Amino acid sequence: MSKQKKQEKQEQPKESTYTREDLATHSKQAFGVSPEVVIGALSTFKQEEFTKSEAKQAIDNFMKRKV
């Protein structure tokens, strides 16, 4: 088996998860937005913990919505 196939079979490290409160508290540093934006973006989700990339995607979608 080649090295590449062995590496593909190994599990990718899981991304850390953060609570809504942690993401909102560090919203300026992590995403460049206010805590209210993070709270609004994540308010439609039932889950309580998010990866940074999940939160970023939710914030991007939230900011692109028409009002």
Side-chain angles (χ1 to χ4, degrees):
M1 188 176 274
S2 71
K3 281 187 178 182
Q4 186 178 11
K5 287 186 179 185
K6 283 184 181 180
Q7 288 175 350
E8 287 176 10
K9 288 192 174 211
Q10 292 177 354
E11 286 188 33
Q12 296 294 326
K14 291 187 179 183
E15 200 173 347
S16 298
T17 59
Y18 306 93
T19 63
R20 294 171 192 258
E21 293 79 23
D22 286 340
L23 293 167
T25 300
H26 302 289
S27 61
K28 286 282 187 196
Q29 302 93 329
F31 309 109
V33 298
S34 69
E36 292 82 8
V37 171
V38 173
I39 292 166
L42 301 179
S43 66
T44 60
F45 295 91
K46 291 182 181 181
Q47 68 197 58
E48 288 298 318
E49 292 190 352
F50 302 85
T51 64
K52 193 172 176 184
S53 58
E54 289 172 337
K56 177 71 173 144
Q57 183 64 44
I59 291 165
D60 290 344
N61 291 340
F62 182 77
M63 296 298 284
K64 292 177 184 175
R65 285 187 194 170
K66 289 187 178 184
V67 278

